[in-house]
Amino acid sequence: MNRARTVGSKWVKTKVLLLNKELRKFVPETRIYSQKNLLDMLNKHKMVYVKPINGTFGQGVIRVEKNETYRFQSGKAAKSFRTFLGLFGALNKAKLSRSYLVQQGIHLLTHQKRIFDTRIMVQKSPKKTWEATGYIGRVAHPQKIVTNFHNSGKPLPLELLLAPYLKNQKKDDYIKSLRHLGYQIATHYQKVYPRFNEIGVDIGIDKNLKPWVIEVNTAPDPFIFNQLKDKKMFFKVLRYSRANGRFLPKKRK
């Protein structure tokens, strides 16, 4: 049992999810970055994301693809290569000088030709029970591969983003299922990290409407929910964060 309040390593957080048989099916295949693992993953999945093990706001994330040629995109810039070795050499120069992961790429749903994912906020209530308090869609910048608000992503109501894919009660039920998935993850993490009070679960949805857990954030930013016109969700998320000891006013000396 770990006494930590937050965990930065994406590799550690992935391994925690894989401990649970129910949750394992929602986790994209993930390996430590190496030449062999990258080649194997590209041959298997055709698209992967190369990510810093420790990093925030989508910084240093690179999308790599294999079709007739090899290609990678970092930020707005994309490069193509005839050979895998050419790709690998350039990729090592383009990535940050730190340890990386290779993660199975998910072909996400789109909004106006821009990919989007969703953030599910799960928090301990004032009564110390887990509750899925917030959900929001995050739409990528038209020329970027990540959806993070701090990386030019645009937060929008999830109902709006799902409207072309699901109608009425089916849409409501689907959002409820995403919130329940967030709740399941929180209660599982609680067994390993009993001091956790809140998590933010980033979920990508593929073309078959299958949810994939892209990442679990252990120090999630509640202020993204302030971007919604309806502030009800934001006020609740912030209230719970403060009840859990975050964003309290500093005491005067």
Side-chain angles (χ1 to χ4, degrees):
M1 195 170 284
N2 195 301
R3 307 301 293 174
R5 286 186 178 274
T6 62
V7 176
S9 168
K10 293 179 175 65
W11 182 235
V12 169
K13 290 185 287 187
T14 298
K15 288 195 291 184
V16 171
L17 285 175
L18 293 175
L19 293 172
N20 186 297
K21 290 181 181 179
E22 281 294 307
L23 298 176
R24 199 178 295 163
K25 61 189 175 187
F26 300 110
V27 182
E29 184 178 0
T30 307
R31 302 188 197 177
I32 295 292
Y33 175 84
S34 69
Q35 182 173 334
K36 181 183 184 304
N37 284 344
L38 177 62
L39 181 58
D40 288 349
M41 293 277 280
L42 278 174
N43 286 336
K44 184 175 181 180
H45 299 295
K46 306 305 178 188
M47 179 182 76
V48 300
Y49 282 82
V50 174
K51 302 178 172 185
I53 288 179
N54 290 283
T56 56
F57 307 141
Q59 294 171 347
V61 175
I62 302 170
R63 183 169 65 198
V64 188
E65 297 171 274
K66 177 189 177 183
N67 295 302
E68 290 80 11
T69 60
Y70 294 91
R71 181 178 185 271
F72 77 74
Q73 181 175 346
S74 176
K76 297 180 181 179
K79 295 182 179 180
S80 294
F81 305 87
R82 289 186 177 182
T83 67
F84 173 75
L85 288 178
L87 165 88
F88 187 68
L91 191 58
N92 284 334
K93 293 178 182 178
K95 73 181 188 67
L96 303 176
S97 55
R98 60 180 72 167
S99 298
Y100 266 66
L101 295 174
V102 187
Q103 187 179 73
Q104 171 188 348
I106 306 301
H107 292 279
L108 299 174
L109 297 184
T110 59
H111 172 72
Q112 297 175 354
K113 299 183 179 179
R114 298 156 63 179
I115 59 170
F116 72 85
D117 63 12
T118 182
R119 162 66 60 87
I120 306 292
M121 191 78 158
V122 194
Q123 299 172 287
K124 283 280 188 70
S125 73
K127 294 181 180 179
K128 298 303 175 185
T129 57
W130 284 108
E131 188 178 332
T133 50
Y135 57 90
I136 192 169
R138 307 183 308 173
V139 183
H141 180 281
Q143 297 170 289
K144 291 192 175 184
I145 59 166
V146 295
T147 60
N148 305 69
F149 179 51
H150 297 277
N151 216 312
S152 305
K154 185 176 182 180
L156 286 172
L158 186 56
E159 291 88 350
L160 172 70
L161 300 179
L162 289 176
Y165 305 98
L166 291 162
K167 302 299 181 187
N168 305 322
Q169 190 61 45
K170 285 187 177 180
K171 181 171 61 179
D172 294 343
D173 290 343
Y174 188 79
I175 292 173
K176 190 180 293 183
S177 73
L178 295 181
R179 295 176 70 191
H180 182 66
L181 177 56
Y183 171 83
Q184 287 178 293
I185 292 169
T187 54
H188 170 64
Y189 260 74
Q190 179 84 67
K191 296 171 185 175
V192 183
Y193 297 101
R195 298 185 73 187
F196 279 16
N197 289 318
E198 53 187 33
I199 61 170
V201 184
D202 294 339
I203 297 176
I205 303 168
D206 71 17
K207 306 295 184 182
N208 297 315
L209 298 182
K210 178 180 175 177
W212 294 87
V213 180
I214 306 300
E215 188 179 349
V216 177
N217 295 272
T218 60
D221 180 6
F223 292 96
I224 187 175
F225 295 96
N226 197 27
Q227 300 299 312
L228 296 173
K229 288 183 179 179
D230 185 344
K231 303 299 180 186
K232 191 186 301 180
M233 201 180 292
F234 168 63
F235 291 143
K236 183 172 187 176
V237 167
L238 189 59
R239 179 162 55 87
Y240 278 30
S241 280
R242 286 174 172 160
N244 288 323
R246 298 184 71 198
F247 310 107
L248 293 173
K250 293 180 180 179
K251 293 181 180 179
R252 292 181 181 177
K253 294 183 179 179

